[in-house]
């Protein structure tokens, strides 16, 4: 099937579909671990890579294959591997090409588990790591060592929605022959295209906007075919972070509505961010669609839309932030994001509780900081919910 000229919305509905002999309209769910061969010769040929076909679902599965191909069409990537979670994607994408003695530079504003992989896990295996302020290009450059092999960043960042100039970091990486891996979860594949900006590998937690309805965990790694063949292929087959066919099927169905959901959630988020920015009792509001975002000029160059997430400070601190959360009726307290249900979290006591006070301050997380993931409810109901809860919180 040719998908070359399809616009994203069309690719999201049709790309990668593998129709069985029954001609089903909706993607089939192939819940099978293995595959049978007509002859011993056919099994031999398949293991030699001389005959196309599936061998074992840890390697590849038709439903998972459809999800990978659809993600490739959307991202403009040559190849992909789907994983059981976003963290399986991040850790495989980072570790598959590294060995003891290599050096990694990463932006310090990372999703908590990503930061643990870089800061704690990698050094255990003799991989040197440096964490830098990702918004400062000098910091990336200064961190480079003769053995630097990999750069890693997330943009916009969690939870403070800081935006990193991906093209500028890619340029520094290219100058020394290092690879840049971008965790593109917060932007979604619709609002930012890291590969077009010069990144070499893109990773997603499909758990977030791709599922979009809070059901399954999943992830995906996308890159050029050569990088995947050389680095990820064997690592993936033999360590087994594979996505289950059931979850891949849920993700495929999620992709069909991704563009519609993200567009609606972004539109609502922009309206809610404007409301919060004017509301008494609310301090700093960070929203990638607003002109007052600290990296508004980079956002104009590198992103297509705003975001489905808003970060804001309740001026009176932790007690008032908790009071707001507890007074909400529609918006739920949860650390997840990208869901059709609006979710709010207090990073300092949940997702970022393991950091020191200083490390949190460095990332711009204060005791009153809240992160809101805007869902598919009516924006005016969400505004009323926030307004009522802010009043109740004092
Ligand atoms: C959620 C998330 C992950 C981890 O994904 P899981 O599916 O929960 O394993 C990684 N990076 C970012 C930015 C995330 O938001």
């Amino acid at each position: 099937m040719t998908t070359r000229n399809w616009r994203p919305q069309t690719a999201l509905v049709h790309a990668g579909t593998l129709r069985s002999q029954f001609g089903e309209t909706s993607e089939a769910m192939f819940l099978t671990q293995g595959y049978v061969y007509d002859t011993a010769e056919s099994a031999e040929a398949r293991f030699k890579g001389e005959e196309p076909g599936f061998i074992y679902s840890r390697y590849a599965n038709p439903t998972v294959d459809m999800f990978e191909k659809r993600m490739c069409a959307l991202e403009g990537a040559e190849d992909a591997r789907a994983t059981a979670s976003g963290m399986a994607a991040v850790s495989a994408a980072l570790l598959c090409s590294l060995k003891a003695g290599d050096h990694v530079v990463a932006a310090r504003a990372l999703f908590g588990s990503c930061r643990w992989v870089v800061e704690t896990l990698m050094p255990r295996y003799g991989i040197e790591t440096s964490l830098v302020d990702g918004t400062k290009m000098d910091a990336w450059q200064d961190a480079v060592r003769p053995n630097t092999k990999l750069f890693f960043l997330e943009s916009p960042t969690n939870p403070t929605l800081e935006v990193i100039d991906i093209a500028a970091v890619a340029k520094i990486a290219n100058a020394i022959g290092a690879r840049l891996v971008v965790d593109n979860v917060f932007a979604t594949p619709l609002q930012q295209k890291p590969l077009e900006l010069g990144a070499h590998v893109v990773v997603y937690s499909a758990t977030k906007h791709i599922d979009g309805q809070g059901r399954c965990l999943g992830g995906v790694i996308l890159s050029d075919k050569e990088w995947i063949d050389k680095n990820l292929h064997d690592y993936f087959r033999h360590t087994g972070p594979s996505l289950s066919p059931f979850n891949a099927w849920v993700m495929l169905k999620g992709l069909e509505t991704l563009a519609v959901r993200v567009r609606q959630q972004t539109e609502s988020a922009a309206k809610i961010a404007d409301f919060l920015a004017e509301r008494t009792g609310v301090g700093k509001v960070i929203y990638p669609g607003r002109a007052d975002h600290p990296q508004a000029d980079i956002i104009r160059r590198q992103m297509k839309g705003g975001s489905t997430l808003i970060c804001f400070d309740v001026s009176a601190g932790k007690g008032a932030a908790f009071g707001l959360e507890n007074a909400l009726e529609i918006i739920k307290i949860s650390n997840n994001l990208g869901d059709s249900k609006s979710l709010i979290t207090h990073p300092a006591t949940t997702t970022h509780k393991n950091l020191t006070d200083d490390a949190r301050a460095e990332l711009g997380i204060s005791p009153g900081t809240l992160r809101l993931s805007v869902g598919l409810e009516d924006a005016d109901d969400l505004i009323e919910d926030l307004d009522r809860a802010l009043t109740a919180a004092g």
Side-chain angles (χ1 to χ4, degrees), residues 7-15 26-27 67 70-71 74 188-191 206 208-215 248-266 308 338-341 374-376:
R7 289 166 183 83
Q9 182 111 17
T10 307
L12 282 165
V13 179
H14 291 288
S26 178
E27 295 75 4
F67 172 62
R70 195 166 291 179
M71 284 302 303
L74 182 61
T188 81
L190 296 163
Q191 289 172 333
K208 312 296 166 54
H209 304 83
I210 292 174
D211 174 322
Q213 288 160 82
R215 299 162 295 195
W249 180 82
V250 172
M251 297 305 174
L252 275 164
K253 299 290 91 193
L255 283 178
E256 289 186 349
T257 58
L258 179 72
V260 182
R261 285 184 284 108
V262 168
R263 196 184 312 131
Q264 181 59 53
Q265 287 167 241
T266 302
T308 64
D339 201 299
S340 56
K341 295 181 170 60
V374 177
L376 284 172

Side-chain angles (χ1 to χ4, degrees), residues 270 273-275 277-278 285-294 296 299-300 306:
D274 288 344
F275 158 77
E278 298 299 320
V285 174
I286 307 176
Y287 181 67
R290 278 177 60 86
D292 60 4
H293 188 285
I299 292 167
R300 265 193 301 277

Side-chain angles (χ1 to χ4, degrees), residues 85-87 90 111 114 154 183 185-186 205 207-208 217-218 337:
S85 69
M87 281 322 301
V90 169
F111 181 76
C114 297
E154 170 188 323
D183 181 337
V185 168
F186 274 49
S205 163
T207 313
K208 312 296 166 54
L217 298 184
L337 62 103

